[in-house]
Amino acid sequence: HPARAKWSGSSFSFYEELRQRFPELSILASGGVRGVDDIKRLQDMGIFAVIFGKAYYEGILKLKDLEQFFVKK
């Protein structure tokens, strides 16, 4: 869908710039997740959390895909 937000280089760049300028913040990324690779990339960048509601709702992500990100106690 053309109106759907998508991660692009500029979105990742934005979060990277935030991490560099404000390393003490816990940043929550929201919108445009295309799949597990986007979540991994954000995690590798030091992003604290990711909202992936639309990707889950549309079936792009399944709970099984996300198990690797669950916090185990």
Side-chain angles (χ1 to χ4, degrees):
H1 188 277
R4 179 176 175 190
K6 300 245 185 234
W7 286 112
S8 66
S10 61
S11 294
F12 286 113
S13 296
F14 170 73
Y15 288 115
E16 183 62 36
E17 182 179 344
L18 280 178
R19 290 289 304 136
Q20 289 176 6
R21 292 183 66 193
F22 306 103
E24 69 283 0
L25 292 181
S26 296
I27 299 170
L28 189 146
S30 177
V33 172
R34 297 174 296 188
V36 172
D37 289 342
D38 286 351
I39 296 172
K40 285 180 186 175
R41 183 172 175 190
L42 290 164
Q43 182 181 43
D44 290 347
M45 291 169 52
I47 299 303
F48 175 74
V50 178
I51 295 175
F52 53 83
K54 188 168 184 176
Y56 179 76
Y57 175 77
E58 292 180 347
I60 296 166
L61 292 171
K62 308 275 189 241
L63 285 180
K64 187 81 173 154
D65 300 329
L66 302 170
E67 285 180 350
Q68 63 189 302
F69 302 107
F70 293 164
V71 176
K72 296 180 175 58
K73 293 185 179 187

